[in-house]
């Protein structure tokens, strides 16, 4: 039923896009329809969930509302409910789909499949290198939202706190999970769809800007198989040690796009941004149609496109706050720099006002209720920090070796491109400048979520320049070799990283069969609103698989979500609680905690003397070395 529900919303989204963009080709309408369907389920459930909780009833009401609204809109316009025109010629054809979009998407699908709760021997599940960390957090959000059913959802890694992290992307999987789809497939199915929309969306965005299929193809390849010149370190090292190259495929985060020893920090988009960081994947998926609509709305002075853009943009804060911020910056810059060239100034202002009012009307409740409530007064957010994560390289050299040809050719590409594209690039440059001087969240590395927006735009106009140069070199004997060399320079690092990630699939065990058994017992026997005392390891089946809230979870999540002091104080409390029977009982009664979990992780983390601490208690459930105790 969860799959049926998801397909229903995708179909409703397509019908809406088919009506709004009936003059566009079928591929474009299918792309926009996929976006609308996902956003409708992610954001549309919110008002119903506030009233009815995150429940089956809320989802059924949303489904009835969405379908009914479409039927009423269509009947009012006196048009047939379903009429799918073939449409005119568009930027995507069967060759582009089969030779570019589907192959790149297939790479993403393969990596997702062997990185997300991959079944391995003895009933365990495993991940790949890139999903060993972040995935457990996202799974915890998925399961806790669906299991606890309270709305707004609570932060499962820190009892008593509201979930302010952008959770709409994970809530999408929670909807499928709520309706009975197994957790692995509740995550994979929408990820498959969204990754296809993302790859196709980037191509459409690039084509919209360049109006050249060849440039859009090149930009798409550069973006998804991206990397700078990090491969050179491994080639050079292999001269002295043959294993320097082969270790790319065996060592933990030792690739041409993740090589901290040599200050290589520009991650591959597939392996480090799309697959493990689900909010980024979904955020980009919505950002690209917003940027496309913005570009076209400004160019055509189309109020209709501005209105559609306003609705989509307004839903973005809790899908991906960084993408919403980036879109806001680009919109603000475009508003200013395009004003002088506007013919009808009154219409220009009115069009932008429509966009801004609609977007803010939808976005501001999210920002005030979730985002600002976490960041306001929290010193972990919005700090001055220059030079991103560059530790020891000259400023320009850091970006040359990390961004590669994109950085080297950015200026000549800017000079070569059209006036409209110059404005868009200038807006991207403002994002770059802000991200270079302002640290927006506790983890400085996460500013890359803003840098990547600039990177997208840069790659598109750089690809436009390269295609123009290729045309100008027509008749030159070595033109083809030069083209291969340039493409290789922009993709070898990314390709090697993707190879490493493919090889790592299933290599990193996350949960054993006993972990899974324990999670199933907790789901069936421990009340959904109970807080469970556990250690702070990030591989925690209590929260990740069972969806229960823990008193304090991993620093990978809690600390870097802005709860710095809370994490430190609670971790100290938990260490004390696990030190003796009297401390444990006193702590649990004081915090109203009834269940205590013990596994090898807790034994190692706290050097636990289990026989002494739990001598007077019998576990209510045991699965191998995993035990669950009940404190009366």
């Amino acid at each position: 039923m969860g799959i049926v529900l998801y397909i229903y919303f995708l179909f409703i989204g397509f019908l809406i896009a088919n009506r709004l963009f009936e003059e566009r080709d079928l591929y474009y309408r299918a792309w926009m329809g996929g976006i609308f369907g996902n956003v409708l389920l992610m954001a549309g459930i919110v008002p119903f969930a506030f009233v009815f909780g995150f429940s089956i009833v809320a989802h059924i009401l949303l489904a009835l509302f969405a379908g009914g609204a479409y039927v009423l809109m269509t009947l009012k316009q006196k048009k047939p409910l379903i009429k799918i025109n073939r449409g005119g010629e568009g930027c995507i054809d069967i060759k582009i789909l089969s030779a570019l979009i589907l192959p790149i998407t297939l790479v993403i699908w393969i990596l997702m499949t062997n990185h997300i709760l991959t079944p391995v021997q003895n009933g365990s599940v495993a991940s790949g290198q890139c999903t060993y960390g972040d995935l457990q957090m996202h799974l915890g959000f998925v399961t806790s939202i669906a299991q606890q059913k309270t709305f707004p959802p609570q932060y499962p890694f820190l009892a008593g706190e509201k979930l302010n992290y952008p959770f709409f992307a994970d809530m999408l999987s929670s909807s499928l999970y709520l309706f009975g789809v197994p957790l692995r497939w509740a995550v994979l199915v929408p990820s498959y769809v969204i990754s296809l929309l993302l790859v196709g969306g980037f191509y459409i965005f690039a084509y919209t800007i360049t109006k050249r299929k060849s440039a859009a193809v090149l930009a798409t390849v550069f973006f998804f198989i991206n990397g700078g010149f990090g491969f050179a370190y491994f080639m050079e090292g292999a001269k002295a040690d043959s294993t320097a190259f082969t270790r790319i495929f065996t060592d933990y985060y030792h690739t041409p796009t993740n090589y901290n020893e040599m200050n290589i920090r520009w991650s591959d988009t597939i392996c480090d941004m799309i697959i493990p960081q689900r909010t980024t994947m979904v955020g980009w998926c919505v950002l690209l149609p917003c940027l496309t609509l913005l570009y076209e709305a400004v160019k055509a002075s189309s109020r209709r496109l501005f209105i559609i853009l306003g609705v989509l943009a307004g839903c973005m804060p809790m899908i991906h706050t960084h993408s919403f911020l980036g879109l806001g910056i680009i919109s603000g810059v475009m508003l200013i720099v395009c004003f002088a060239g506007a013919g009808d100034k009154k219409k220009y202002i009115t069009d932008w006002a429509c966009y801004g009012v609609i977007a803010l009307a939808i976005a501001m409740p999210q920002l005030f209720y979730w985002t600002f409530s976490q960041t306001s007064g929290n010193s972990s957010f919005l700090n001055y920090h220059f030079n991103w994560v560059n530790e020891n390289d000259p400023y320009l050299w850091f970006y040359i070796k990390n961004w590669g040809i994109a950085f080297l050719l950015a200026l000549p590409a800017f000079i070569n491109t059209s006036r409209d594209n110059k404005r868009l690039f200038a807006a991207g440059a403002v994002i770059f400048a802000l991200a270079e001087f302002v640290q927006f969240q506790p983890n400085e590395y996460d500013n890359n979520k803003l840098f990547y927006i600039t990177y997208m735009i840069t790659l598109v106009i750089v690809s436009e320049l390269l295609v123009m140069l290729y045309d100008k070199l027509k008749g030159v004997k070595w033109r083809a070799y030069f083209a291969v060399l340039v493409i290789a320079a922009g993709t070898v690092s990314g390709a090697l990283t993707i190879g490493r990630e493919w090889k790592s699939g299933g290599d990193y065990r996350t949960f054993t069969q006993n972990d899974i058994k324990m999670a199933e017992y907790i789901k069936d026997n421990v009340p959904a609103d109970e807080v469970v005392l556990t250690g702070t390891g990030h591989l925690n089946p209590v929260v990740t698989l069972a969806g229960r809230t823990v008193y304090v979870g991993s620093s990978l999540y809690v600390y870097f979500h802005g709860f710095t002091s809370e994490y430190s104080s609670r971790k100290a409390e938990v260490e004390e609680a696990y030190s003796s029977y009297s401390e444990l009982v006193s702590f649990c009664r004081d915090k109203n905690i009834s269940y205590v979990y013990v596994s090898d992780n807790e034994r190692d983390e706290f050097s636990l003397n289990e026989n002494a601490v739990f001598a007077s208690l019998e576990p209510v459930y045991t699965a191998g070395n995993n035990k669950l105790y009940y404190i009366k």
Side-chain angles (χ1 to χ4, degrees):
M1 287 303 298
I3 300 297
V4 171
L5 178 81
Y6 187 50
I7 293 173
Y8 170 82
F9 278 100
L10 291 176
F11 182 63
I12 292 294
F14 173 73
L15 292 178
I16 295 171
N18 186 61
R19 184 72 63 211
L20 292 175
F21 302 102
E22 55 188 359
E23 78 285 356
R24 305 298 291 263
D25 67 280
L26 188 57
Y27 289 113
Y28 186 94
R29 283 176 280 152
W31 170 56
M32 277 292 187
I35 304 296
F36 290 167
N38 278 286
V39 171
L40 184 59
L41 181 52
M42 278 188 291
I45 193 63
V46 171
F48 295 93
F50 263 111
V51 178
F52 300 98
F54 192 80
S55 62
I56 291 176
V57 170
H59 284 79
I60 292 174
L61 291 175
L62 171 62
L64 293 173
F65 174 80
Y70 172 76
V71 169
L72 290 176
M73 178 185 72
T74 305
L75 292 178
K76 185 178 181 181
Q77 295 175 343
K78 297 181 179 180
K79 293 184 177 181
L81 288 176
I82 301 176
K83 182 181 179 181
I84 302 174
N85 299 321
R86 181 176 176 82
E89 183 179 352
C91 61
I92 297 179
D93 53 35
I94 192 63
K95 292 182 180 178
I96 296 294
L97 182 67
S98 58
L100 176 74
I101 296 173
L102 288 181
I104 292 176
T105 304
L106 184 60
V107 171
I108 298 174
W109 287 355
I110 291 171
L111 292 178
M112 284 178 172
T113 305
N114 71 4
H115 276 59
I116 297 177
L117 294 175
T118 307
V120 291
Q121 61 184 0
N122 301 324
S124 300
V125 293
S127 73
Q129 175 182 255
C130 70
T131 51
Y132 186 68
D134 279 2
L135 178 65
Q136 323 315 321
M137 176 195 74
H138 291 292
L139 292 175
F141 293 159
V142 172
T143 56
S144 64
I145 292 171
Q147 285 283 313
Q148 298 178 23
K149 297 182 177 61
T150 56
F151 201 91
Q154 298 300 297
Y155 186 53
F157 296 96
L158 194 70
E161 294 290 342
K162 184 172 61 180
L163 177 56
N164 293 318
Y165 182 93
F167 61 88
F168 283 11
D170 292 317
M171 189 167 63
L172 179 63
S173 291
S174 299
S175 295
L176 275 68
Y177 188 57
L178 177 70
F179 278 80
V181 179
L183 180 59
R184 170 171 157 84
W185 295 104
V187 173
L188 281 175
V189 169
S191 297
Y192 289 155
V193 174
I194 289 167
S195 57
L196 175 60
L197 295 172
L198 175 57
V199 177
F202 188 89
Y203 172 83
I204 292 173
F205 169 66
Y207 180 83
T208 301
I209 293 176
T210 64
K211 292 294 185 260
R212 297 198 63 175
K213 289 184 178 180
S214 53
V217 167
L218 186 60
T220 304
V221 171
F222 278 153
F223 182 70
F224 289 99
I225 314 178
N226 73 299
F229 299 139
F231 64 87
Y233 288 108
F234 294 90
M235 303 296 186
E236 183 67 25
K239 294 179 181 179
D241 178 6
S242 60
T243 65
F245 184 81
T246 57
R247 287 204 308 271
I248 291 174
F249 305 98
T250 57
D251 289 3
Y252 188 71
Y253 279 114
H254 187 77
T255 73
T257 59
N258 274 293
Y259 193 14
N260 289 3
E261 296 173 36
M262 294 299 176
N263 216 16
I264 296 296
R265 305 299 303 275
W266 193 246
S267 302
D268 177 74
T269 53
I270 291 177
C271 297
D272 294 290
M273 304 303 294
I274 294 173
I275 295 173
Q277 302 192 41
R278 301 188 73 242
T279 51
T280 300
M281 175 182 68
V282 181
W284 286 354
C285 188
V286 181
L287 173 66
L288 287 168
C290 286
L291 291 177
T292 303
L293 288 170
L294 177 63
Y295 188 90
E296 293 182 325
V298 171
K299 199 167 184 178
S301 188
S302 171
R303 184 170 300 172
R304 183 176 68 89
L305 294 182
F306 271 119
I307 292 172
I308 298 170
L309 170 61
V311 175
L312 267 184
C315 295
M316 286 182 66
M318 290 307 289
I319 293 176
H320 191 224
T321 312
H322 287 87
S323 290
F324 176 74
L325 175 61
L327 176 63
I329 294 169
I330 289 175
S331 299
V333 174
M334 294 283 282
L335 169 64
I336 296 170
V337 299
C338 295
F339 179 78
D344 187 340
K345 297 291 194 291
K346 182 178 180 181
K347 181 180 183 303
Y348 180 85
I349 294 173
T350 306
D351 289 346
W352 277 93
C354 287
Y355 164 35
V357 169
I358 293 171
L360 291 176
I362 301 172
M364 291 309 289
Q366 301 172 57
L367 292 171
F368 277 103
Y369 190 79
W370 283 297
T371 307
F372 296 158
S373 66
Q374 180 179 15
T375 59
S376 179
N378 191 327
S379 60
S380 298
F381 294 87
L382 296 178
N383 291 299
Y384 170 79
H385 181 87
F386 176 66
N387 207 9
W388 189 37
V389 292
N390 181 15
E391 296 178 356
N392 48 36
D393 280 319
Y395 185 83
L396 291 179
W397 173 239
F398 172 78
Y399 280 105
I400 289 173
K401 73 180 188 179
N402 275 277
W403 277 33
I405 60 175
F407 195 82
L408 284 175
L409 298 179
L411 183 57
F414 171 78
I415 295 171
N416 168 77
T417 197
S418 67
R419 184 180 65 171
D420 292 326
N421 293 353
K422 283 183 170 67
R423 292 167 173 171
L424 183 62
F425 182 86
V430 172
I431 295 178
F432 186 97
L434 282 173
E436 272 291 84
F437 286 94
V438 180
Q439 182 178 324
F440 286 87
Q441 63 292 303
N443 186 356
E444 63 185 21
Y445 184 69
D446 280 349
N447 264 24
N448 65 353
K449 295 169 185 175
L450 289 170
F451 284 119
Y452 269 102
I453 300 174
T454 306
Y455 186 65
M456 290 179 185
I457 299 169
T458 303
L459 280 178
V460 173
I461 67 166
V462 164
S463 298
E464 179 187 44
L465 172 67
L466 288 172
V467 168
M468 183 204 72
L469 291 175
Y470 185 78
D471 291 341
K472 287 184 178 296
L473 292 174
K474 186 176 182 180
V476 176
K477 183 178 179 181
W478 300 103
R479 182 176 75 151
Y481 296 102
F482 172 74
V484 169
L485 181 64
V486 170
I487 293 173
T491 59
V492 167
S493 291
L496 290 171
T497 300
I498 290 171
R500 160 57 179 150
E501 208 57 60
W502 171 78
K503 187 178 182 300
S504 77
D507 281 354
Y508 294 82
R509 191 185 69 177
T510 49
F511 299 106
T512 66
Q513 184 182 47
N514 289 323
D515 294 332
I516 296 169
K517 288 180 179 179
M518 176 61 73
E520 290 301 318
Y521 176 85
I522 292 173
K523 283 164 57 178
D524 294 338
N525 297 279
V526 175
D529 59 351
E530 283 281 355
V531 175
V532 181
L533 183 64
T534 72
T536 61
H538 81 285
L539 299 176
N540 188 334
V542 174
V543 60
T544 298
L545 300 182
R548 296 301 184 266
T549 298
V550 297
Y551 184 67
V552 60
S554 171
S555 63
L556 291 175
Y557 318 135
V558 179
Y559 184 91
F560 287 114
H561 289 168
F563 298 105
T564 52
S565 59
E566 291 90 339
Y567 174 78
S568 299
S569 61
R570 289 200 187 190
K571 181 175 171 58
E573 289 178 325
V574 172
E575 288 177 349
E576 185 70 19
Y578 275 99
S579 66
S580 70
Y581 174 77
S582 60
E583 290 289 346
L584 180 70
V585 173
S586 173
F587 175 81
C588 288
R589 288 175 178 171
D590 181 53
K591 301 298 182 182
N592 197 28
I593 293 174
S594 298
Y595 291 90
V596 179
Y597 176 67
V598 175
S599 70
D600 288 340
N601 289 331
E602 283 71 24
R603 295 182 184 99
D604 293 341
E605 181 178 0
F606 305 119
S607 300
L608 180 63
N609 185 345
E610 191 172 357
N611 291 331
V613 176
F614 294 93
S616 302
L617 297 172
E618 285 292 328
V620 294
Y621 185 74
T622 300
N625 290 332
N626 302 347
K627 297 178 180 180
L628 184 69
Y629 292 92
Y630 180 74
I631 307 293
K632 296 181 181 180

